[in-house]
Amino acid sequence: MNKGKLVMGWCCFAFSVILFLFQGLYLILRLRWGVEYADERLFYLLTTFIVVYATVALLLLMDLKRNGKAFLLGIATIFILLQGVLLFRHMKDVREFVSHSPDWKTYLVLKQDRLTGKTVYYRPYYGPFVQGKETLPFSMKGDAKIKWIQDDIVAATYHSEDGSIHQFIGTYGDRGQGSSYTNVALSFPGTWKGGDLTLTSTTDGLILQRDHEVERYTWENIVQFGTLAVVLTENDEAQWTIALGEDFISHENDPDPPAGSIYLYEATDENNEPVPLTLSFP
């Protein structure tokens, strides 16, 4: 047998075995700990590669007759088409949202049941693996608008079945105090300004002014996500997200005023950008 074909055949065989073991590990993780691929299409893609590598290996390593080769190629084709059918059914049932952070250090994963609208937020587990953390409080209708406010803060703006608008915030870090709980809304006292927006934090809540419009948010209308962001709501609808900038320092444990910046991001279907605010009056 040609030495080149022999080497290539064993390499293909090795690749198919490695991918097969990797898929087996994934199935164990999924069944035992509920770990999934961030993008489930990867499962069908890797299975297809297993079939292709194994088929090429058998064709190169075995001295098959013409009928034997045709039979082998026929079986491989059936398996590959089956993966295509299963992938189509999966995409028909589940809508997946995967968005990498601007610095590519983390990513957001949402998986939505297309029939019920139930949407689950997944945390990155290791590499391509994720684990479900929580179900969004409102069933999602249609697509979500994904926007990274900072490298470790991402907003998903979406509509529920009744047409109301909501924001879910994924956070992937802290501002130096991640080991203990931090009340985000209390960490930036004072008056903050940026563009035509003025935000004032008081003991009764937050006051947001844009031009001549003034909105007041009591603590009951402020929903916290992680230790980096809050969403301001009215009548159970999201209106704004407030996110701590990467340069933000709260100075909660000393008399100095907070430093750095915070970001306001409006809950809207429009293609808007987060607005940075800096402290104007402590």
Side-chain angles (χ1 to χ4, degrees):
M1 179 178 292
N2 182 285
K3 187 176 180 180
K5 289 177 62 177
L6 188 65
V7 172
M8 186 176 294
W10 281 110
C11 286
C12 288
F13 179 74
F15 283 139
S16 66
V17 171
I18 292 171
L19 291 177
F20 180 80
L21 294 176
F22 189 80
Q23 291 284 72
L25 171 65
Y26 164 70
L27 291 175
I28 293 173
L29 292 173
R30 178 160 187 164
L31 292 174
R32 187 157 187 177
W33 291 288
V35 173
E36 300 181 17
Y37 283 129
D39 189 334
E40 200 65 24
R41 290 175 295 185
L42 185 60
F43 176 83
Y44 303 101
L45 179 63
L46 292 182
T47 302
T48 299
F49 274 119
I50 291 173
V51 174
V52 170
Y53 280 129
T55 302
V56 173
L58 291 175
L59 289 174
L60 292 176
L61 296 176
M62 297 181 67
D63 187 19
L64 297 174
K65 303 297 183 184
R66 185 174 180 178
N67 289 341
K69 291 180 180 178
F71 178 76
L72 181 61
L73 290 173
I75 294 296
T77 301
I78 291 173
F79 270 102
I80 292 172
L81 290 176
L82 178 62
Q83 294 307 307
V85 172
L86 293 175
L87 174 60
F88 175 77
R89 288 187 58 183
H90 171 75
M91 294 177 66
K92 186 179 178 182
D93 295 337
V94 181
R95 189 198 307 265
E96 297 178 330
F97 301 88
V98 181
S99 176
H100 287 273
S101 62
D103 61 2
W104 282 79
K105 290 184 178 179
T106 189
Y107 51 88
L108 167 78
V109 177
L110 299 173
K111 298 188 181 186
Q112 176 198 25
D113 185 316
R114 290 179 184 268
L115 181 61
T116 65
K118 176 184 174 183
T119 306
V120 177
Y121 166 63
Y122 287 76
R123 294 283 293 187
Y125 187 68
Y126 188 80
F129 301 119
V130 295
Q131 195 169 33
K133 183 180 181 184
E134 61 182 292
T135 301
L136 272 58
F138 300 93
S139 296
M140 183 188 298
K141 182 180 180 181
D143 291 329
K145 186 182 74 172
I146 310 296
K147 182 69 178 180
W148 287 87
I149 301 174
Q150 296 283 269
D151 286 341
D152 52 5
I153 306 173
V154 59
T157 305
Y158 66 97
H159 287 273
S160 60
E161 292 294 331
D162 63 1
S164 57
I165 194 167
H166 307 280
Q167 281 186 325
F168 179 84
I169 311 300
T171 63
Y172 304 90
D174 59 74
R175 295 294 177 259
Q177 299 174 341
S179 59
S180 61
Y181 178 80
T182 299
N183 189 315
V184 174
L186 292 177
S187 66
F188 50 85
T191 299
W192 300 73
K193 289 189 176 181
D196 60 349
L197 296 167
T198 301
L199 178 71
T200 302
S201 177
T202 72
T203 55
D204 296 326
L206 301 177
I207 302 171
L208 178 61
Q209 181 175 353
R210 179 165 58 177
D211 295 330
H212 299 295
E213 297 181 8
V214 178
E215 297 288 345
R216 300 176 185 275
Y217 300 93
T218 62
W219 300 116
E220 290 76 19
N221 295 324
I222 301 172
V223 182
Q224 179 161 329
F225 291 85
T227 59
L228 296 180
V230 294
V231 171
L232 309 182
T233 67
E234 183 175 349
N235 298 324
D236 287 333
E237 281 195 273
Q239 294 201 323
W240 296 87
T241 287
I242 302 175
L244 304 182
E246 294 180 359
D247 60 347
F248 178 80
I249 302 174
S250 69
H251 287 295
E252 283 182 300
N253 301 318
D254 60 56
D256 293 335
S261 56
I262 60 176
Y263 286 77
L264 269 171
Y265 182 61
E266 189 172 11
T268 175
D269 295 325
E270 298 177 2
N271 187 24
N272 58 322
E273 294 292 330
V275 180
L277 282 72
T278 55
L279 185 64
S280 176
F281 300 104

